[in-house]
Amino acid sequence: MTALPTAPGPIGIFDSGYGGLTILHGIRQLLPQYDYLYLGDNARAPYGSRSFDVVYEFTRQAVAKLFEMGCHLVILGCNTASAKALRSIQQIDLPKLDPQRRVLGIIRPTAEAIGSLTKTRHVGILATEGTIRSESYTLEIHKLFPDIKVSGVACPFWVPLVEYNEGDSPGADYFVKKRIDQLMARDGDIDAVILGCTHYPLLMPKIAKYVPAGVRIVAQGDYVAASLASYLARHAELERRCTRGAGVRYLTTESPERFRETASVFLHERIEAENVPLGN
């Protein structure tokens, strides 16, 4: 195994595709002083319908790559990777790669926040098929708040709507309304809905249009950012290994040109990207 760099480095953020850019945006809004290294495994996306074993292997490769590139802390800015790979990486791989490095997910911070965001104690989840099937949100929420009832609905067409920049189209209304109606039909007492996919905040105008009045829409970016700030404050030794140059570098396993074009939909700014291989 190649020795990992020991010098301070950027905070790594990994996603199977583009959705983690909404997590990066939220983090940079709160913590702009740090350097960030974003890696999207766009060539093998989407992860949502892949098996636990495949998601774990792909995510493990990405984490190892970010470690090799100097990151001491990696955020899995992907709900599927957080649901299917985080625990295995923390328990199996970190002790072998470097016990001093850390990998964090994005489900736990949202679960921690939800207790103060619901009054009825009925919560809904809108997410990909893989995240819903894993029941990760239900499990995490029930660890903290056993009294909360959780209902989830998979939204298979929402990610393509975002990535093909069709989120504002009239056709998007049908797919957004259908899944929200389905969720509310399962439990009419829901008063908080978690957007359990990092793409979904880009559909916020449509989601807000069809979610019943009084129901809170919970996007992950702000809660993940606040959780990270708290984590760094509690772990000074790790925080000192995060460089502070306020820069961002973007990596993709696919075409840098395509990544740049699609990333602009998420970030509303022009960025440059580099290709990096993962796996065999």
Side-chain angles (χ1 to χ4, degrees), residues 226-254:
S227 179
L228 176 59
S230 174
Y231 186 88
L232 290 172
R234 298 193 314 271
H235 297 83
E237 75 291 344
L238 183 62
E239 194 276 339
R240 287 193 292 269
R241 296 200 292 271
C242 300
T243 53
R244 292 167 169 257
V248 188
R249 186 178 169 196
Y250 297 92
L251 308 174
T252 175
T253 57
E254 211 203 39

Side-chain angles (χ1 to χ4, degrees), residues 146-211:
D147 62 310
I148 292 181
K149 179 181 178 181
V150 182
S151 303
V153 166
C155 309
F157 294 106
W158 287 21
V159 168
L161 283 173
V162 171
E163 293 200 352
Y164 287 99
N165 206 15
E166 293 292 332
D168 293 330
S169 68
D173 288 73
Y174 170 80
F175 294 105
V176 172
K177 183 177 187 299
K178 178 179 181 180
R179 298 307 178 186
I180 291 172
D181 288 349
Q182 186 179 346
L183 179 65
M184 299 309 298
R186 291 191 177 179
D187 184 354
D189 293 324
I190 289 171
D191 72 343
V193 175
I194 295 172
L195 303 185
C197 173
T198 51
H199 283 68
Y200 296 177
L202 275 78
L203 293 171
M204 189 66 81
K206 300 287 189 190
I207 295 169
K209 181 178 177 181
Y210 294 111
V211 164

Side-chain angles (χ1 to χ4, degrees), residues 4-9 70 72 98 101 241:
L4 297 174
T6 57
H72 293 266
D98 185 346
R101 294 176 196 250
R241 296 200 292 271

Side-chain angles (χ1 to χ4, degrees), residues 59-152:
T59 306
R60 187 194 62 76
Q61 292 170 3
V63 167
K65 177 62 70 173
L66 288 168
F67 283 173
E68 289 172 14
M69 299 185 76
C71 300
H72 293 266
L73 171 63
V74 172
I75 311 296
L76 302 185
C78 172
N79 285 279
T80 303
S82 294
K84 295 184 175 182
L86 176 62
R87 184 160 298 179
S88 295
I89 287 173
Q90 289 174 333
Q91 295 177 351
I92 299 170
D93 297 289
L94 276 182
K96 294 183 289 187
L97 291 169
D98 185 346
Q100 303 305 312
R101 294 176 196 250
R102 293 291 179 266
V103 180
L104 305 176
I106 58 174
I107 292 176
R108 178 81 179 193
T110 314
E112 289 174 343
I114 201 64
S116 63
L117 302 177
T118 174
K119 294 179 179 177
T120 64
R121 315 307 278 175
H122 291 250
V123 170
I125 313 290
L126 296 169
T128 64
E129 180 183 350
T131 299
I132 294 296
R133 189 176 294 170
S134 74
E135 296 189 338
S136 293
Y137 273 99
T138 302
L139 293 170
E140 287 296 332
I141 291 171
H142 282 166
K143 286 178 189 175
L144 301 165
F145 311 105
D147 62 310
I148 292 181
K149 179 181 178 181
V150 182
S151 303

